[in-house]
Amino acid sequence: MTILIKLGGSLITDKQKARTFRPESVRGLAAQLSQFRAENEQQQIVIGHGSGSFGHFEAQKHMTAQGVETSQDRLGFAQVGAAAAELSLMVLQEFIAAGLPVMRFQPSSTIVAKGGRIASFDSRALMLALEKQLVPLVHGDIAVDREINGGIISTEALFAHLVEPLRVRRIILLGEVAGVLNHRRELVPLITPLTLEDMLPSLKGSDGVDVTGGMLQKVKTMTALARRHPALSVVIASGLQEDILIDLLEGRETVGTRIRADKAVSSPESSH
């Protein structure tokens, strides 16, 4: 079974300022993952990250999420992909510096979209990398699209397509905030498909530039995923919290929001 870990764009970049990387955030999490892998080398892990103030700023400028029609759109589409790749290479270097065998997979080279959604995702090389004890790295990216010619695919959408083939039981989403907050700015400890409707008025998009819907879309995507895969447990937590990643990986109690199919379903974290 595989664990999927996402480093949110708000965590690894300043989403208020274009092309502002936060290497210290990645460095701290890479050190925790390296510590965990030293004793759990057989555990399969895929790392994903958002595009933050790199891809999202370019995508907003060129309105890429709405499609690609003109020659200017096509140039903008390419620029969005270049910005996303630029950030991903910086993230990759931090993980390699921490001694982790991380291999970058560029989603745009293996995905075909249709109407802004993934139509096909060839994950065979990624799955082989896992078998060889490598750690694949993916990210939110551009994608050629059969209907709108080109668009944006989020990291959460990539994760959703990996759950079944990789037999994923745990997804860890790390951002700047402690989890999902209600209208009183209080942490919501658990969300299920039955409680989501009550939560929707409290959710919003992103405090920075985000063309893929921010927290609102993240929670809706993960809740729908949990509904389809009842054994799946998702946690949304702050990557700024000390030792948060290794605590989550090793099953210790942490602050955060859990998303599961039903409150009666036990979390895999407790049985690690």
Side-chain angles (χ1 to χ4, degrees), residues 86-120:
E86 180 184 346
L87 175 60
S88 193
L89 287 171
M90 289 189 282
V91 172
L92 175 66
Q93 290 302 322
E94 293 295 336
F95 279 107
I96 289 176
L100 288 161
V102 173
M103 179 180 179
R104 180 172 173 266
F105 286 83
Q106 185 169 324
S108 57
S109 65
T110 57
I111 285 175
V112 174
K114 183 177 180 181
R117 297 178 180 274
I118 297 175
S120 65

Side-chain angles (χ1 to χ4, degrees), residues 251 253 266-272:
E253 282 297 317
S266 62
S267 168
E269 295 169 28
S270 62
S271 59
H272 176 78

Side-chain angles (χ1 to χ4, degrees), residues 32-173:
Q32 293 175 55
L33 185 56
S34 181
Q35 181 183 341
F36 176 78
R37 280 271 298 186
E39 297 181 0
N40 301 272
E41 195 171 23
Q42 299 299 318
Q43 174 61 63
Q44 295 186 342
I45 292 173
V46 175
I47 303 167
H49 67 81
S51 283
S53 62
F54 287 73
H56 285 289
F57 268 73
E58 286 293 327
Q60 184 187 57
K61 183 195 307 183
H62 303 290
M63 296 186 291
T64 304
Q66 280 70 56
V68 174
E69 294 292 338
T70 67
S71 59
Q72 192 61 38
D73 289 343
R74 286 188 284 276
L75 178 59
F77 178 74
Q79 290 171 332
V80 174
E86 180 184 346
L87 175 60
S88 193
L89 287 171
M90 289 189 282
V91 172
L92 175 66
Q93 290 302 322
E94 293 295 336
F95 279 107
I96 289 176
L100 288 161
V102 173
M103 179 180 179
R104 180 172 173 266
F105 286 83
Q106 185 169 324
S108 57
S109 65
T110 57
I111 285 175
V112 174
K114 183 177 180 181
R117 297 178 180 274
I118 297 175
S120 65
F121 180 9
D122 188 344
S123 58
R124 288 175 296 178
L126 186 151
M127 293 173 71
L128 182 59
L130 284 170
E131 290 178 18
K132 303 304 181 183
Q133 298 183 25
L134 296 167
V135 180
L137 174 70
V138 298
H139 57 87
D141 204 1
I142 56 174
V144 289
D145 193 297
R146 290 195 181 108
E147 291 184 353
I148 60 174
N149 303 320
I152 305 294
I153 297 297
S154 70
T155 311
E156 286 80 9
L158 295 173
F159 278 8
H161 273 255
L162 290 174
V163 166
E164 189 169 339
L166 299 186
R167 298 188 302 129
V168 174
R169 292 295 177 267
R170 299 170 63 192
I171 298 178
I172 297 171
L173 305 177

Side-chain angles (χ1 to χ4, degrees), residues 160-204:
H161 273 255
L162 290 174
V163 166
E164 189 169 339
L166 299 186
R167 298 188 302 129
V168 174
R169 292 295 177 267
R170 299 170 63 192
I171 298 178
I172 297 171
L173 305 177
L174 299 177
E176 273 192 309
V177 295
V180 180
L181 307 179
N182 64 20
H183 65 283
R184 293 188 294 273
R185 305 296 293 173
E186 299 166 336
L187 181 71
V188 178
L190 177 65
I191 297 175
T192 73
L194 290 177
T195 64
L196 178 62
E197 287 300 318
D198 293 335
M199 278 297 306
L200 290 179
S202 301
L203 299 175
K204 61 176 183 176

Side-chain angles (χ1 to χ4, degrees), residues 217-228:
Q217 191 57 46
K218 189 193 314 289
V219 171
K220 289 172 72 174
T221 298
M222 290 296 114
T223 306
L225 195 57
R227 183 188 290 114
R228 294 198 302 273

